[in-house]
Amino acid sequence: MGIPCGDDIVLIQHGKEPGEPSVITVNCPDKAGLGCDLSRIILEFGFSIARADFSTDGRWCYIVLWVIPQDSSVRVDWESLKSQLLSVCPSCLFSYYFSQQANGSSPSPLYLLKVWCLDEKGSLHDVAKVLCELELSIQRVKVMPTPDGRVLDLFFITDVMDLLETKERRDDVCKHLMAVLGKNFITCEVQLAGPEYERFQGFYSLPPAVAEELFSCELSNKGTCILQDLNPNISTVKKATIKVDNSLSPAHTLLQVQCIDQKCLLYDILRTSKDCDIQIDYGRLSSSVNGFRNMDLFIRQRDGRKIVDPESQIALCSRLKEEMLHPLRVIIVNRGPDTELLVANPVELSGKGRPRVFYDVTFALKTLGICIFSAEILRHSTSDRQWEVYRFLLDETREFHLGSSRARSQIVNKVRRTLMGW
């Protein structure tokens, strides 16, 4: 069989009928964390992964992903998706491979997008949606309202297409924002981020009591996780089971995983495996059945050995359960006289945050009719990891008196359900 190169590395077969999954096949040299990188890109394009099958011999990998758009009304740029998937695949061409490696060492330039508009419910999500559709990645946000009913949104962004240096691309961004915001649009501009970015990229220190509430997650020996403010209809399915078997393969440890279905399940498992330096040589994620997913993983430690130490098995299973059951933290707290929604997710060891969190949170709040007074994206460090923390100051409405525990619970549930795809 010939070695695939160029267009053969990533193949996309579209579903024949509406609602039928498209099939993405990746056939390329292997690298650590490739599955995680591919799933992240697919999620960034607004897809969910219905099924997955992947294998590797340590040098070459073969991955098949069945994907479905989360919103059927959104137009998908399939060529751009393919280009992005190719960008994280090691090339089979020696010269091209090292060219890619050299290019990867230079991060995309950071730009500052300033958007002036009239303050309106849902406008922040409208801007986020445009940026996602234009393949602009949000790195930091600062929303600053003014007393006269206007708002200045500062978005620190990178361009997946690396075209923001051109006037045509910058004008296109402003044109799309003008079309979406309509009469509320005032002006916008895009420029290279300067020293002002330094004021926004530092780490944020949460008050100890807030940090304890936000980052705590109690896992019992039955694999349950105590989630805040769960509605009764999902509290009965907050379980994950992982069975460890070293008898079926002479070279691999088998993990048999069952967990409630959720939007980023494969990403969370692959992200955790990547951060724990676990090599997955074969894996299969089944379709959802009665709201649950099953997954078989044949794994090795990075030194090539099976995981036979009981303490190492317990530590890995506990970490996977926590990341599957509690990948995001959502709480509402008082900040002086204001009400603040906090959403946190762990950052990959590579420094990348979770896909589309800002998009999903602003969508949930827009759906509830809640106005966002201010928003920020910051980083917070705990003893064992780094977190991305999204802070939203909320405005009270007739429907939601933010001092009410019922209203707060409804907001937390809506945001969490949107993030998890429930």
Side-chain angles (χ1 to χ4, degrees), residues 8-23:
D8 293 334
I9 294 175
V10 176
L11 298 174
I12 299 177
Q13 180 181 349
H14 302 292
K16 296 179 181 179
E17 302 292 336
E20 185 178 343
S22 296
V23 182

Side-chain angles (χ1 to χ4, degrees), residues 269-422:
I269 292 173
L270 297 181
R271 168 180 59 83
T272 305
S273 301
K274 178 182 178 182
D275 288 351
C276 292
D277 211 18
I278 296 296
Q279 172 72 43
I280 302 176
D281 286 345
Y282 174 78
R284 172 169 289 176
L285 175 68
S286 67
S287 300
S288 178
V289 178
N290 297 325
F292 280 88
R293 292 289 197 100
N294 291 298
M295 191 169 189
D296 294 330
L297 301 172
F298 285 85
I299 65 172
R300 292 180 293 123
Q301 299 178 98
R302 189 56 62 183
D303 61 7
R305 298 179 180 179
K306 299 166 69 170
I307 305 176
V308 296
D309 176 53
E311 291 187 1
S312 298
Q313 292 177 5
I314 292 172
L316 176 60
C317 291
S318 296
R319 176 71 179 273
L320 282 169
K321 287 177 182 178
E322 179 180 348
E323 299 300 335
M324 288 188 292
L325 291 167
H326 211 29
L328 296 138
R329 317 298 163 92
V330 185
I331 63 172
I332 288 182
V333 299
N334 293 324
R335 196 171 99 183
D338 299 316
T339 301
E340 184 174 53
L341 172 69
L342 294 173
V343 179
N345 58 266
V347 175
E348 294 178 31
L349 291 181
S350 64
K352 296 179 180 178
R354 191 179 186 83
R356 293 173 76 96
V357 173
F358 189 82
Y359 177 95
D360 285 341
V361 175
T362 53
F363 174 75
L365 295 175
K366 178 181 180 178
T367 302
L368 291 172
I370 295 175
C371 188
I372 300 169
F373 179 74
S374 179
E376 289 181 283
I377 306 176
L378 302 159
R379 294 287 173 101
H380 176 86
S381 287
T382 57
S383 58
D384 61 339
R385 69 179 72 182
Q386 186 182 137
W387 299 80
E388 200 161 51
V389 180
Y390 296 75
R391 304 174 60 196
F392 299 89
L393 285 183
L394 308 180
D395 266 353
E396 190 158 303
T397 66
R398 291 181 180 179
E399 296 80 8
F400 289 93
H401 298 287
L402 297 177
S404 162
S405 60
R406 180 180 178 183
R408 291 186 174 208
S409 178
Q410 188 175 351
I411 294 169
V412 167
N413 278 326
K414 179 63 177 179
V415 169
R416 182 184 287 115
R417 284 172 171 272
T418 303
L419 289 164
M420 300 293 278
W422 292 340

Side-chain angles (χ1 to χ4, degrees), residues 116 118-119 144-152 373:
W116 277 100
L118 298 179
D119 200 2
M144 297 185 293
T146 62
D148 59 359
R150 298 186 298 170
V151 63
L152 172 61
F373 179 74

